[in-house]
Amino acid sequence: MKKKLIAGNWKMNGSLAANEALVKGLLAGLGSPACQVALCVPSVYLAQCQALVAGSAIGLGAQDLSQHEAGAFTGEISGAMLQEFSVRYCIVGHSERRQYHFETDALVAAKVQRALACGITPIVCVGETLAEREAGKTEEVVKRQLAAVIHVNGHCISEVVVAYEPVWAIGTGKTASTEQAQQVHALLRQQLQAASNQADRIQIIYGGSMNAANAAQLLAQPDIDGGLVGGAALKVSDFLSIIASAC
Ligand code: 13P
C-alpha cells in the first residue's frame, strides 16, 4: 500500500542552533514511523541537516531548484548540487515562489523535469487564490497548473508528489474543510489517472494550515496521502503529532 508522506516546509526559518534542536527533538520522538517523513530546509542548511538526519527515517528536502543544469545563473542552485547533499525531495512551484518570484506554469514544469533528471522527487505545488475560489475557478486553476507539469513530464509523472495548497489557507490559520480538500484531491487524481494510468501510486498531499488538531481528519480522506506542513513543522511536538496522525 502507498505510504503517507508528511513533509515539513521550513520556508525561510531556522538557524544553526534552532535546526539542531528541532531535528534532534524530532529524532528523539520519531521511532520507526510507518509513513514517510521529510524536511525541506533552506539550502544553506542542507549540509547541517544532511548530517543530522543521516541514517534516520527522515528524508532531506530542498525548497527550490534551478531549471538549468549549470552555468552563469547567479544565486541559483542546481539539481546536481542538491544531489550531492543526499536531497531526496524538492518542493517546486510553491505559491510563494509563483507569487514573489513570478514562477510560471512552464517554469515549474521545467524545474520538475530537472529534479527528476537528478533523481530527486519533486513535490509539485498547485492551488488557487481566494479570488479564484470565489470566482468558481478552483478546478480550472489547479488543472491548468498540473496540466503544464504533465505536458512536459508525462512519461514519468508517476514519480512526482503533488501538493494541493490552496493559497488562502497558507499561513492564515484557515484550513480547507475536509470536503473541499478531498474534492480537489480527487480531481487531481483523475487528471493524473488520465495521464498515467498509475494515479493510485501517486502521493497527493495537502498543505495549508495543517496542524496537530486538524491533521487526522484531513489525512483520513481517501485521496489525501499526506501533508506539506509549514508553521507546525517548526515545533517538535506539533510535527510529531501530525506524523502520528499519518502513521
Ligand atoms: P502553513 O502550514 O504555515 O500554512 O504553510 C503551508 C505551506 O505553505 C507548506 O508548503
Side-chain angles (χ1 to χ4, degrees), residues 145-169:
Q145 291 172 333
L146 184 57
V149 174
I150 292 171
H151 178 69
V152 175
N153 301 279
H155 52 292
C156 41
I157 200 66
S158 60
E159 307 304 319
V160 311
V161 172
V162 175
Y164 170 54
E165 296 210 311
V167 178
W168 49 271

Side-chain angles (χ1 to χ4, degrees), residues 9 11 91 94 96 165 169-172 207-210 228-232:
N9 174 9
K11 307 193 179 186
I91 298 172
H94 192 281
E96 287 149 17
E165 296 210 311
I170 294 176
T172 57
S209 298
M210 185 180 266
L228 184 55
V229 185

